[in-house]
């Protein structure tokens, strides 16, 4: 095992995911059942450009290139190049993704970092996604808020059924879960079901795109997450907090003030079904973000192992 003293310090709430936490999380696995938590990277964007993130673009670098091997046989080679939005599908927000200029506070980003954390170069000096790129291995906990808040046959949270502290605590009690330092908490709202049934961005008669609401976590939960010393909040919706999010106050407190990592648009339908099936809502969570130095986000590249 690598000596922890040789590693760079882990920033924000990621510091709670230490060697002891990893070993504890490994002991959770019961069935060897691996569940992908990723939406397709080449899926359609929720919002068209320029307001939203562009769709993945795939280019053929080589396509069925035939090369002789000198013995009368040939090899056939294909190779592709992709251009993708780092936060266009299932993704992590880096701590440098979201800052805030606030009265009586010289800091803009987590840990007292100022605007020079991301300026003038287009990169994060210390708070980029490479902080997580070495790998995230920890305990994951799914909070099935659809089952907690809605009728038994509901597939998703209804508009403006946002999640407050009372709902979070009731859900944890129903699932017999006690949170521990370093946990990654997953908020299941059924957003993908809602997206398939109702869409997300209806257009007005004049062609103007409006923003439909999507339920998320209320501000009154933030002190609870802080006290529990969780590592991350991940959701199946686009923002963890409710949409519309005109001021993004939840993002500001979580990323800037608490250093809690945020993950968005995680694919949680299959995981929720399996957790409901056996009543076990904890799992080993593994994520390997792209090792793009000083980037502001990354695809999740994540699995749950039960």
């Amino acid at each position: 095992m690598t000596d922890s003293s040789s590693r760079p310090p882990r920033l924000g709430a990621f510091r709670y995911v230490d060697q002891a936490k990893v070993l504890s999380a490994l002991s959770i696995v019961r069935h060897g059942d691996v569940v992908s938590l990723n939406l397709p990277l080449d899926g359609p964007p929720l919002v068209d450009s320029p307001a939203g993130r562009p769709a993945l673009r795939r280019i053929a670098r080589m396509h069925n290139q035939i090369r002789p091997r000198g013995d009368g046989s040939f090899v056939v080679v294909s190779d592709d190049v992709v251009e993708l939005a780092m936060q266009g599908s299932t993704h992590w927000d880096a701590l440098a993704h979201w800052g805030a200029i606030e009265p009586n506070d010289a800091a803009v980003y987590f840990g007292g970092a100022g605007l020079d954390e991301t300026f003038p170069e287009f990169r994060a000096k210390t708070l980029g996604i490479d902080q997580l790129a070495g790998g995230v291995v920890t305990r994951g906990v799914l909070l099935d808020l659809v089952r907690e808040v809605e009728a038994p046959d509901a597939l998703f949270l209804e508009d403006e059924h946002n999640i407050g502290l009372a709902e979070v605590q009731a859900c944890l009690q129903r699932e017999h879960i006690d949170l521990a330092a370093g946990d990654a908490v997953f908020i299941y709202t059924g957003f993908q079901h809602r997206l398939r049934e109702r869409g997300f961005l209806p257009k007005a008669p004049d062609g103007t795109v409006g923003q439909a609401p999507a339920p998320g976590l209320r501000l009154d939960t933030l002190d609870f997450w802080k006290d529990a010393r969780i590592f991350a909040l991940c959701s199946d919706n686009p923002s963890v907090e409710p949409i519309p999010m005109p001021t993004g106050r939840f993002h500001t407190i979580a990323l800037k003030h608490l250093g809690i990592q945020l993950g968005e648009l995680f694919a949680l339908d299959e995981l929720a079904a399996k957790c409901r099936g056996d009543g076990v809502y904890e799992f080993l969570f593994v994520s390997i973000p792209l090792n793009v130095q000083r980037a502001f986000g990354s695809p999740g590249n994540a699995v749950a192992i039960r």
Side-chain angles (χ1 to χ4, degrees):
M1 184 177 293
T2 303
D3 182 357
S4 60
S5 64
S6 67
R7 300 174 180 166
R10 290 181 163 181
L11 301 181
F14 194 32
R15 67 187 183 276
Y16 300 131
V17 185
D18 56 15
Q19 290 170 304
K21 183 65 179 182
V22 172
L23 289 172
S24 175
L26 291 172
S27 70
I28 294 171
V29 178
R30 296 171 173 85
H31 311 296
D33 189 11
V34 180
V35 182
S36 173
L37 303 180
N38 309 292
L39 297 174
L41 288 174
D42 58 352
L46 289 179
V47 187
D48 294 334
S49 293
R53 296 176 173 94
L56 179 145
R57 188 166 67 102
R58 183 166 170 259
I59 304 166
R61 179 175 174 268
M62 287 182 276
H63 184 204
N64 282 6
Q65 186 179 98
I66 299 174
R67 301 176 183 175
R69 296 199 294 190
D71 60 357
S73 65
F74 300 84
V75 295
V76 183
V77 182
S78 293
D79 193 4
D80 41 17
V81 176
V82 296
E83 177 182 289
L84 78 159
M86 296 289 262
Q87 292 159 296
S89 184
T90 301
H91 68 272
W92 288 108
D93 290 346
L95 292 179
H97 164 65
W98 191 280
I101 299 171
E102 300 172 296
N104 304 314
D105 187 356
V108 177
Y109 298 101
F110 175 77
L115 195 59
D116 58 349
E117 168 69 23
T118 57
F119 184 83
E121 306 91 345
F122 181 65
R123 62 185 184 184
K125 291 184 174 66
T126 63
L127 302 176
I129 201 62
D130 47 295
Q131 287 287 333
L132 304 184
V136 175
V137 180
T138 192
R139 178 196 190 214
V141 171
L142 181 79
L143 298 190
D144 187 348
L145 275 305
V146 178
R147 175 157 286 187
E148 182 63 40
V149 174
E150 304 292 353
D153 59 346
L155 295 176
F156 52 86
L157 291 180
E158 288 294 332
D159 295 349
E160 299 182 6
H161 279 197
N162 294 315
I163 305 149
L165 180 58
E167 288 81 12
V168 166
Q169 291 177 323
C171 189
L172 286 166
Q173 184 175 9
R174 179 177 55 80
E175 295 177 358
H176 306 290
I177 290 288
D178 293 319
L179 293 180
D183 284 350
V185 177
F186 289 77
I187 305 300
Y188 183 58
T189 73
F191 179 76
Q192 292 301 313
H193 287 294
R194 182 193 188 282
L195 192 62
R196 289 189 288 270
E197 182 170 315
R198 297 184 185 172
F200 186 53
L201 297 173
K203 290 186 178 180
D206 64 359
T208 303
V209 175
Q211 191 176 49
L217 289 173
R218 294 184 184 274
L219 289 173
D220 73 338
T221 64
L222 281 163
D223 281 344
F224 179 75
W225 307 126
K226 175 187 175 182
D227 293 343
R229 298 188 297 162
I230 65 164
F231 148 63
L233 287 168
C234 302
S235 69
D236 57 355
N237 75 3
S239 60
V240 180
E241 63 185 293
I243 293 177
M245 46 177 288
T247 63
R249 186 65 182 155
F250 194 100
H251 265 60
T252 298
I253 297 174
L255 290 171
K256 175 185 175 180
H257 295 291
L258 302 181
I260 292 175
Q261 217 73 49
L262 297 181
E264 295 156 340
L265 289 174
F266 276 71
L268 301 181
D269 290 348
E270 181 182 359
L271 178 62
K274 289 182 179 294
C275 291
R276 289 176 180 181
D278 62 8
V280 177
Y281 289 84
E282 65 172 358
F283 49 91
L284 173 64
F285 172 61
V286 180
S287 171
I288 313 294
L290 297 183
N291 192 8
V292 180
Q293 296 291 297
R294 303 182 178 186
F296 297 106
S298 169
N301 197 28
V303 294
I305 308 174
R306 305 178 76 251

